[in-house]
Amino acid sequence: MSGPDSSSPSDVLLEVKDLHVSFTTYGGEVQAVRGVSLTLRRGETLAIVGESGCGKSVTARSLMRLLPPQTSKIRQGSIRFQGRELTGLTEKQMREIRGSAITMIFQDAMTALNPTITIGEQIMEGIIRHQKLSRSEARKQAVEMLELVGISNPESRLKQHLHQFSGGMRQRIMIAIAAVGNPSVLIADEPTTALDVTIQAQILDLFKLLQRKTGVSIIMITHDLGVVANIADRVNVMYAGKVVESGTVDEVFQHPQHPYTKGLLASMPRLDSDRNTPLQSIPGTPPDLFAPPKGCAFAARCPLAMEVCADFQPDTTSLSGGHGVACWLQDARAKQMVPPNANTFIRSAIG
């Protein structure tokens, strides 16, 4: 069975099919991404969510071919951008796409930006390289972009260095650098993790503003379901290198079908819950991706697991409204068994 995809070919900007990425380490080969498929449509925000180590950031960096070639490898799969296959491009060809058609915002601005040169030079560098403009024209664009992302006195700010900006302003500068070339796709990898809730809300509003003004498509990588609910149109939930559930945010949040998704949602604090009620958690730990399980990777932690879950990987079952889930509970071929040890967190999530 194939996953859901209700979009027409003309709407799809980026399409990933059966992507497998591994890393060579002293301890062996880590299978970090194991058959990920996703689509990004024009003008939408797609969130990729999951706990640390699930493969979401590796997936994002694979789209831009930013993984270290010495230790990483795309073992199989396809990444097509505007109909063009990216996995076979040379590094020179990819450099023409990075920073212009596809750009990326990283989590930590202090390590992603250069503290030794001015902010203006860093913004203008991409403009001059990709748009072939003069320095005066590039400077004008840089000023306009700083104004757009909400930095006051942009003319004087261009001359300043990274240490002269707060954390929220640094993130705005990162967004300005990524968006100044009017890219088709903007990938944001945990862009609000280190920010307080007030600044986080401002940054998310800025992404929405950019999308309205430029029509850019956004891939938002996050472990924060609150961010997903605030900004995304669709969401892919990842676990152990695989997409286990996908669909619109409303479908996945209001009608979750995979036990892992239900567990994530049950662990979120709720405004309508008693403040003395403890948050629920998912017992156990993710599997070792040096030797992934042959069946469903979540089976060992899942209170609804059946015998088939441990022995075979589930296909993605298409539900209504483009909602897809990779779980044997949704597969008509699985025997209907009474699940053992249905823990409280699942019962609560199911309601």
Side-chain angles (χ1 to χ4, degrees):
M1 284 176 255
S2 61
D5 185 2
S6 58
S7 59
S8 66
S10 61
D11 291 333
V12 175
L13 187 63
L14 181 70
E15 185 175 27
V16 179
K17 290 186 177 179
D18 195 29
L19 182 67
H20 293 251
V21 181
S22 63
F23 290 87
T24 301
T25 71
Y26 289 113
E29 185 178 50
V30 179
Q31 299 177 42
V33 174
R34 305 184 302 129
V36 165
S37 296
L38 60 86
T39 57
L40 178 68
R41 302 173 182 126
R42 298 179 187 277
E44 77 166 354
T45 297
L46 170 69
I48 303 178
V49 66
E51 60 193 312
S52 296
C54 71
K56 55 187 186 295
S57 291
V58 174
T59 299
R61 284 165 169 76
S62 298
L63 303 183
M64 294 188 70
R65 301 267 303 278
L66 284 176
L67 297 174
Q70 299 86 356
T71 57
S72 66
K73 182 178 181 180
I74 296 179
R75 300 189 62 84
Q76 68 181 69
S78 170
I79 304 170
R80 297 188 69 83
F81 171 63
Q82 294 181 327
R84 185 183 187 186
E85 180 61 48
L86 301 186
T87 57
L89 297 186
T90 65
E91 178 59 22
K92 181 179 179 181
Q93 290 172 320
M94 278 303 304
R95 282 199 298 267
E96 296 305 313
I97 294 175
R98 292 193 209 107
S100 56
I102 307 176
T103 59
M104 192 164 187
I105 299 169
F106 298 94
Q107 178 177 343
D108 187 358
M110 283 298 289
T111 57
L113 296 175
N114 189 333
T116 65
I117 63 176
T118 66
I119 294 303
E121 290 295 330
Q122 295 183 68
I123 299 175
M124 291 163 58
E125 179 182 12
I127 301 173
I128 293 170
R129 172 178 173 79
H130 293 290
Q131 300 185 43
K132 313 298 184 186
L133 299 180
S134 67
R135 286 188 62 83
S136 61
E137 292 171 322
R139 182 182 179 81
K140 181 180 178 182
Q141 276 203 24
V143 169
E144 292 172 351
M145 185 53 65
L146 285 183
E147 287 180 330
L148 180 60
V149 300
I151 293 185
S152 58
N153 304 316
E155 285 279 0
S156 60
R157 288 293 198 172
L158 285 179
K159 304 171 186 177
Q160 295 182 335
H161 291 76
L162 187 60
H163 69 274
Q164 295 173 279
F165 295 85
S166 66
M169 292 177 75
R170 290 169 188 158
Q171 206 64 356
R172 290 174 184 271
I173 292 166
M174 287 277 292
I175 296 171
I177 292 173
V180 73
N182 195 25
S184 299
V185 177
L186 193 158
I187 303 171
D189 190 0
E190 302 277 9
T192 61
T193 296
L195 306 176
D196 64 51
V197 291
T198 301
I199 303 301
Q200 181 184 92
Q202 294 174 4
I203 296 299
L204 293 179
D205 286 343
L206 178 55
F207 278 113
K208 296 175 186 177
L209 174 66
L210 281 175
Q211 194 166 58
R212 287 197 304 270
K213 285 186 172 292
T214 68
V216 66
S217 299
I218 299 173
I219 298 178
M220 181 70 66
I221 311 297
T222 184
H223 64 274
D224 189 335
L225 295 178
V227 169
V228 176
N230 187 295
I231 196 172
D233 301 302
R234 292 188 300 119
V235 57
N236 283 5
V237 180
M238 286 191 66
Y239 183 77
K242 287 181 169 289
V243 175
V244 297
E245 188 159 2
S246 62
T248 67
V249 169
D250 287 345
E251 278 289 341
V252 172
F253 276 43
Q254 296 179 21
H255 307 287
Q257 299 299 314
H258 198 284
Y260 177 63
T261 309
K262 294 174 181 177
L264 288 179
L265 292 170
S267 67
M268 287 181 64
R270 297 172 59 95
L271 294 175
D272 58 355
S273 63
D274 190 322
R275 66 178 182 177
N276 296 318
T277 302
L279 290 178
Q280 300 177 47
S281 62
I282 303 174
T285 58
D288 183 356
L289 293 184
F290 283 107
K294 64 178 181 178
C296 173
F298 190 62
R301 304 174 72 184
C302 180
L304 306 179
M306 301 175 289
E307 186 175 348
V308 68
C309 301
D311 295 330
F312 300 97
Q313 293 187 22
D315 292 331
T316 297
T317 300
S318 297
L319 307 176
S320 62
H323 193 172
V325 59
C327 180
W328 281 112
L329 293 170
Q330 301 298 325
D331 196 309
R333 296 171 296 176
K335 295 180 180 179
Q336 297 302 307
M337 299 171 60
V338 177
N341 304 319
N343 287 343
T344 305
F345 89 94
I346 287 291
R347 289 191 183 280
S348 173
I350 295 175

